[in-house]
Amino acid sequence: MKKILFVLLALFFLSIAGYQIIRYQYAPTYQGTINITGLEKVVEIYFDDFGIPHIYANNPADAYLALGYVHAQDRLFQMEMMRRVGSGTLSELLGEDLLDVDKFFRTLGIPKHATWSSELWLEEGESPWKDATNAYIKGVNQFIAEGNLPVEYTLLGASPREFTIQDVHSIIGYMSFTFAMAMKTDPLITKMYRTLDPAYLKVLSIHTLPEHHVIPNHYPDRNPETNSINIEETLTALLEKLPVPLLEGSNSWVIAPSRTASGEVLFLNDTHIGFAQPSVWYEAHIEYPGFSFYGNHLAGVPFGLVGHTRTHSVGLTMFENDDQDFFEEQINPSNPNQTIYNDGYTEIKRRNEFIPIKGKEPVTFEVKESIHGPIMNDVIPEIGRLTSNPVASWWVYTLEPTRALEATYKLAHSNSIQEVEEAVKLIHAPGLNVMYGDKSGNIAWWAAAKLPIRPEHVNSKIFLDGSSSKDEPIGWIPFEENPMAINPPSGFVASANNQPDTLANGLFFPGYYYPGDRWDRIAKTVSSRTDWDQENVKTLQLEAINENHPINALSMIEAVDPRLFEGFEAVQAALKSWDGSHDLENIAPTLYYKWLYHTLHGMMVDELGQEDFENFLRTFLYIRSVPNLIRTLDSPWWDNQSTEAIETRTEIIEEALKKSLKELKAQLGSNSSKWYWEKAVVLEHPHPLGTKKPLDRIFNVKAPSVPANEESVNKLAFELNDSGIYRVKSGPAMRIIIDFANVEASESVLPTGQSGNLFSPFYSDQAEMFAKGHYRPQLMNESMIKNTAKRKLVLKQLGTN
């Protein structure tokens, strides 16, 4: 017995020793001194209790070089994944399974666009944003050359190459793609237009409906420019292979001094992004003479896309404007290398893309482009199944080089609301709602995008005619007519991915907007009082209530025979009295979502097929259309086309209820009073290597259950399904609250942790906080930071004392 005990103890201590050795090889360095080439003076970096670096430098170049170094030591593998997505080189590192993803991004043109943007960047003269970017890249490369590389590279048998400006532009291109909702939606809508009676489409909300909530505009007094208009397998399955999350939505609202207890601006932002480990944002606080900034940075991008100084704050949500059209081309019958265009023909351009593949021979494939853009049939399966004609993607983002680096630099370094607006003008795509508040009491919202003017007859949600120029955009809306609100009389600005009101020119700009349930809750709640502060506003930011779902539920209850609920009276009563809350102890959502799925499936799968039905559930169209689908009594969707009988609304909803109750009884037991929402919700933040067992147990971050929901302010989204288990796929990627009465007391939280390094103490230390709705400080006070920091890293120029 003693020998067994001795052996077990020896194994225990050996495992601890082994872990410490491995940790020493791979963990980030948070304290001590590191010699860095290229520094002008010493840089001090203090890491707070959550691993956020507070960088104190004597000049911008040293500050951004230091940022690049610490960003890389915490997030290098994330940078690797993002640059490979944007450059179409995932299969070189991860293998043949990612080849289709690489082909898709190369066909779409993001690597080509990154090359173009980088060539022009290198030709430009010196500028502060260019110097800062170059310094950041030097810092990343210093870490690649000399730091402890993350363990993922060892597991993959790979090593990282140097970081370049092309990589930065590739990452920006990937970020821009994630907003391109048209690729996920337009093929499905086009199929419906071509195969279904118009009565079916009238029930859907393809365009914004009168009952949807719009964001009011409030334009400043100024003279518009006189020469402003210039005439000029499924995809979803493919995207699920991506090792990085997609940006999906967001909330932000800024409350004017007239509505706050402090008499100063109150600023909030929570960007909605696919959950992953590490989470998207990397926080960093930078100080050098004349500059003080606390930012949320995208991996591989030097300037915070969301952040604040001591005098102003900038946040983001998705604008969701329609900036991509699909043109169906017609081939010249006499020449397959040409398409018909007006009274003549145009040549199809071709280029070969060379893709290296891990463990395999490289693949060369051909990308074809018509006059309207790259032809997408071979990389978007839904298009290939819909038509044999070439379908080209016309996308605003690829029409001109990006100026995102200049824009984000200027957003952080601006000194007035006017300078911020000038920076916003530089963003041509993707569409962003830029939210603003400052110490002077100004609040603002700008829709940042280059908006095309389309002919009046064009429905941009369906494939357009590429055989002539009649469907093409005819010009651009000037920025001054974009949606915006500057110091509106309401005392707040808010955006939640919903439709902006008509523009200054009277146009209702098309897009893939959400119905405005979140915006309405925010607007009504903010308008209800004038004493908002940093504490009481948390209740709204964490609210998991949707007012539309109970109306849907009552409509369904009223359609069925109440005797179907015999034995399940508890959940029937809960659903009848439901206020739309998704608290974990609630039982109403557990039945509602199961019942909703089976109802929609019974209505739509006969027309769409299972695959396209599931695609429908993943688009904005589903969220916008549910109320009409459920509540319209004479909808043609109710009839099942696969039967001779004509089914009614009652029959479909009753059959869905029977299935739902039977399945929930098997899943959760016969006592419906214990069908707690908590039992149906799962939250796990997946790491790129976590798709392979047993690496999921090592790299993925599991979190407690959260109040998962559709379209509540605290949106924690999942895919509707018939399993009764709802895996939360996306949600707030941070929750920021800033009261300009005391900027140094601002708060936030990340979904998992600051670091993406498995051996960092900050890998998952915020996961439970986030799930439970807690916050932690965004420190900016120098004495507090330096006196309380337990970890200090000093960067020195190589060769100095």
Side-chain angles (χ1 to χ4, degrees):
M1 185 67 180
K2 288 182 179 180
K3 287 183 179 180
I4 294 174
L5 182 61
F6 177 80
V7 170
L8 290 174
L9 286 171
L11 289 173
F12 174 74
F13 285 113
L14 282 172
S15 64
I16 292 176
Y19 173 80
Q20 292 301 327
I21 292 170
I22 293 172
R23 184 180 178 280
Y24 177 79
Q25 289 180 315
Y26 295 109
T29 302
Y30 294 122
Q31 51 192 355
T33 300
I34 297 177
N35 292 318
I36 297 288
T37 302
L39 286 176
E40 294 181 22
K41 294 187 177 181
V42 172
V43 177
E44 295 181 338
I45 306 173
Y46 295 84
F47 293 90
D48 64 25
D49 291 344
F50 296 93
I52 287 88
H54 302 267
I55 300 170
Y56 291 87
N58 288 282
N59 57 72
D62 285 354
Y64 284 102
L65 191 150
L67 174 63
Y69 189 92
V70 296
H71 200 172
Q73 76 164 356
D74 272 319
R75 299 290 189 98
L76 181 63
F77 193 69
Q78 185 182 42
M79 293 180 185
E80 185 75 61
M81 291 294 97
M82 292 180 69
R83 70 174 170 178
R84 285 186 175 275
V85 171
S87 61
T89 57
L90 279 170
S91 50
E92 181 182 23
L93 182 68
L94 300 179
E96 193 174 19
D97 287 349
L98 278 301
L99 179 59
D100 287 344
V101 178
D102 286 344
K103 287 183 176 181
F104 171 79
F105 280 97
R106 287 171 184 252
T107 302
L108 185 60
I110 288 178
K112 179 183 174 184
H113 183 267
T115 299
W116 181 28
S117 296
S118 299
E119 288 171 350
L120 295 179
W121 169 274
L122 294 172
E123 292 172 3
E124 292 175 359
E126 294 300 308
S127 64
W129 50 91
K130 193 170 182 179
D131 292 342
T133 301
N134 290 336
Y136 174 87
I137 291 172
K138 285 180 183 177
V140 173
N141 287 331
Q142 285 271 317
F143 176 78
I144 289 174
E146 301 170 11
N148 293 341
L149 297 179
V151 71
E152 288 92 333
Y153 287 106
T154 300
L155 294 174
L156 291 170
S159 57
R161 57 171 172 77
E162 280 199 339
F163 209 73
T164 67
I165 186 62
Q166 174 104 2
D167 293 324
V168 178
H169 284 132
S170 294
I171 290 169
I172 291 169
Y174 146 75
M175 185 198 76
S176 301
F177 157 76
T178 67
F179 292 81
M181 185 65 73
M183 281 178 280
K184 307 169 188 176
T185 308
D186 287 10
L188 176 61
I189 294 177
T190 300
K191 176 183 176 180
M192 291 181 184
Y193 264 95
R194 293 181 178 183
T195 60
L196 298 177
D197 187 272
Y200 283 90
L201 288 110
K202 286 182 180 179
V203 186
L204 302 177
S205 175
I206 294 172
H207 302 288
T208 299
L209 299 175
E211 60 264 30
H212 293 157
H213 303 285
V214 299
I215 308 174
N217 294 303
H218 185 72
Y219 292 94
D221 293 328
R222 58 188 172 199
N223 294 320
E225 297 175 8
T226 56
N227 59 344
S228 55
I229 297 180
N230 302 311
I231 301 301
E232 315 188 11
E233 157 184 65
T234 67
L235 176 63
T236 300
L238 182 146
L239 296 180
E240 285 178 349
K241 297 179 182 179
L242 284 175
V244 288
L246 298 176
L247 287 76
E248 298 186 1
S250 300
N251 299 322
S252 185
W253 63 97
V254 191
I255 306 176
S258 60
R259 290 193 173 276
T260 65
S262 68
E264 303 227 24
V265 166
L266 191 61
F267 179 97
L268 296 97
N269 195 191
D270 50 284
T271 56
H272 297 165
I273 300 175
F275 282 144
Q277 175 55 13
S279 54
V280 166
W281 299 116
Y282 180 82
E283 295 185 33
H285 167 212
I286 300 174
E287 296 274 351
Y288 58 81
F291 185 65
S292 174
F293 180 76
Y294 192 111
N296 288 259
H297 298 75
L298 201 64
V301 179
F303 313 121
L305 277 69
V306 173
H308 63 277
T309 68
R310 297 174 191 277
T311 59
H312 79 277
S313 184
V314 173
L316 299 175
T317 74
M318 289 172 57
F319 177 21
E320 297 281 17
N321 60 301
D322 188 353
D323 65 356
Q324 185 175 32
D325 291 336
F326 290 95
F327 286 86
E328 186 169 4
E329 313 287 8
Q330 303 294 325
I331 294 292
N332 178 0
S334 303
N335 186 347
N337 293 317
Q338 293 180 334
T339 60
I340 299 170
Y341 188 66
N342 290 330
D343 295 328
Y345 305 100
T346 63
E347 295 293 326
I348 295 176
K349 297 179 182 179
R350 301 169 186 269
R351 71 175 188 272
N352 288 324
E353 293 278 344
F354 178 84
I355 306 179
I357 304 173
K358 183 179 181 180
K360 300 277 187 177
E361 289 297 314
V363 168
T364 300
F365 86 105
E366 187 179 63
V367 175
K368 294 172 284 189
E369 292 188 14
S370 76
I371 192 173
H372 296 110
I375 294 169
M376 306 300 291
N377 300 54
D378 292 339
V379 294
I380 299 182
E382 292 90 335
I383 291 178
R385 291 196 297 268
L386 189 58
T387 178
S388 59
N389 292 325
V391 177
S393 163
W394 180 92
W395 185 24
V396 171
Y397 179 74
T398 57
L399 297 182
E400 61 183 66
T402 180
R403 298 177 69 183
L405 291 170
E406 180 183 354
T408 51
Y409 176 91
K410 288 182 174 180
L411 286 174
H413 290 77
S414 295
N415 293 309
S416 68
I417 186 173
Q418 291 81 12
E419 289 183 6
V420 169
E421 184 176 74
E422 290 302 311
V424 172
K425 289 181 182 180
L426 300 174
I427 302 170
H428 80 288
L432 298 171
N433 292 302
V434 179
M435 312 299 292
Y436 174 85
D438 66 27
K439 184 68 176 173
S440 299
N442 295 301
I443 63 172
W445 151 63
W446 299 274
K450 191 170 183 178
L451 303 180
I453 301 172
R454 296 179 172 96
E456 288 187 11
H457 71 271
V458 163
N459 180 349
S460 61
K461 301 293 196 309
I462 61 175
F463 293 175
L464 304 179
D465 181 6
S467 65
S468 76
S469 57
K470 66 182 179 64
D471 287 352
E472 295 174 359
I474 56 175
W476 302 97
I477 295 172
F479 175 82
E480 288 73 17
E481 294 181 8
N482 276 20
M484 66 179 70
I486 316 294
N487 294 321
S490 63
F492 71 94
V493 291
S495 66
N497 319 122
N498 53 315
Q499 171 86 57
D501 207 345
T502 51
L503 312 187
N505 62 6
L507 179 68
F508 208 49
F509 196 83
Y512 302 89
Y513 308 107
Y514 286 82
D517 295 5
R518 285 179 282 128
W519 184 91
D520 188 47
R521 289 291 301 184
I522 293 167
K524 288 191 300 189
T525 307
V526 170
S527 299
S528 68
R529 56 196 297 179
T530 57
D531 63 343
W532 290 106
D533 61 32
Q534 198 163 320
E535 284 303 312
N536 60 32
V537 80
K538 290 177 182 176
T539 302
L540 176 56
Q541 194 172 49
L542 296 170
E543 182 186 88
I545 295 174
N546 181 287
E547 295 179 355
N548 240 323
H549 296 334
I551 301 173
N552 295 336
L554 282 177
S555 176
M556 293 160 72
I557 288 172
E558 290 168 357
V560 304
D561 185 338
R563 291 174 294 182
L564 294 176
F565 281 102
E566 288 180 5
F568 303 99
E569 288 80 7
V571 75
Q572 178 189 25
L575 205 55
K576 275 187 175 182
S577 61
W578 190 30
D579 66 353
S581 168
H582 291 73
D583 294 339
L584 294 176
E585 67 277 9
N586 206 326
I587 61 175
T590 312
L591 175 58
Y592 172 71
Y593 288 110
K594 169 77 79 167
W595 192 5
L596 178 63
Y597 174 87
H598 283 309
T599 299
L600 294 174
H601 187 275
M603 295 174 67
M604 306 181 77
V605 78
D606 53 313
E607 288 89 1
L608 300 181
Q610 184 66 31
E611 196 168 62
D612 278 331
F613 172 68
E614 291 177 0
N615 288 341
F616 168 78
L617 295 180
R618 297 184 181 108
T619 68
F620 86 105
L621 193 60
Y622 154 64
I623 295 291
R624 290 204 338 187
S625 299
V626 162
N628 268 8
L629 282 167
I630 294 300
R631 302 174 204 172
T632 302
L633 302 182
D634 58 351
S635 165
W637 291 102
W638 295 118
D639 179 38
N640 186 340
Q641 292 186 340
S642 62
T643 68
E644 291 185 6
I646 299 178
E647 285 76 16
T648 66
R649 176 174 181 264
T650 293
E651 287 176 297
I652 297 296
I653 296 178
E654 284 189 342
E655 185 60 31
L657 177 60
K658 293 174 187 176
K659 286 183 181 179
S660 301
L661 294 174
K662 180 181 179 180
E663 290 173 3
L664 286 172
K665 180 179 179 181
Q667 177 187 346
L668 300 174
S670 59
N671 186 352
S672 66
S673 66
K674 295 184 178 181
W675 290 357
Y676 302 126
W677 186 226
E678 182 177 20
K679 296 179 180 179
V681 176
V682 176
L683 173 55
E684 182 172 1
H685 303 272
H687 183 278
L689 300 189
T691 57
K692 305 291 186 182
K693 296 183 181 297
L695 294 180
D696 57 330
R697 296 186 178 184
I698 298 171
F699 287 101
N700 292 358
V701 174
K702 291 188 177 181
S705 295
V706 293
N709 64 80
E710 288 180 345
E711 287 306 287
S712 298
V713 176
N714 182 21
K715 182 175 179 177
L716 294 156
F718 53 86
E719 290 181 0
L720 195 68
N721 64 83
D722 64 344
S723 73
I725 297 296
Y726 305 98
R727 299 184 182 278
V728 178
K729 294 291 189 76
S730 66
M734 81 313 220
R735 297 187 182 109
I736 293 174
I737 306 177
I738 303 168
D739 189 336
F740 275 92
N742 185 2
V743 173
E744 293 182 348
S746 67
E747 295 177 284
S748 187
V749 68
L750 297 176
T752 57
Q754 168 77 349
S755 181
N757 189 299
L758 180 66
F759 297 99
S760 169
F762 311 114
Y763 187 74
S764 59
D765 58 320
Q766 297 181 57
E768 186 170 346
M769 293 175 58
F770 177 88
K772 294 185 176 180
H774 298 162
Y775 295 74
R776 45 94 189 143
Q778 297 184 122
L779 299 177
M780 290 187 77
N781 182 281
E782 183 173 350
S783 62
M784 180 183 295
I785 291 166
K786 292 183 175 180
N787 290 333
T788 61
K790 300 180 180 68
R791 299 170 177 85
K792 176 184 176 182
L793 182 64
V794 177
L795 304 184
K796 289 185 177 181
Q797 167 64 25
L798 188 65
T800 62
N801 296 324

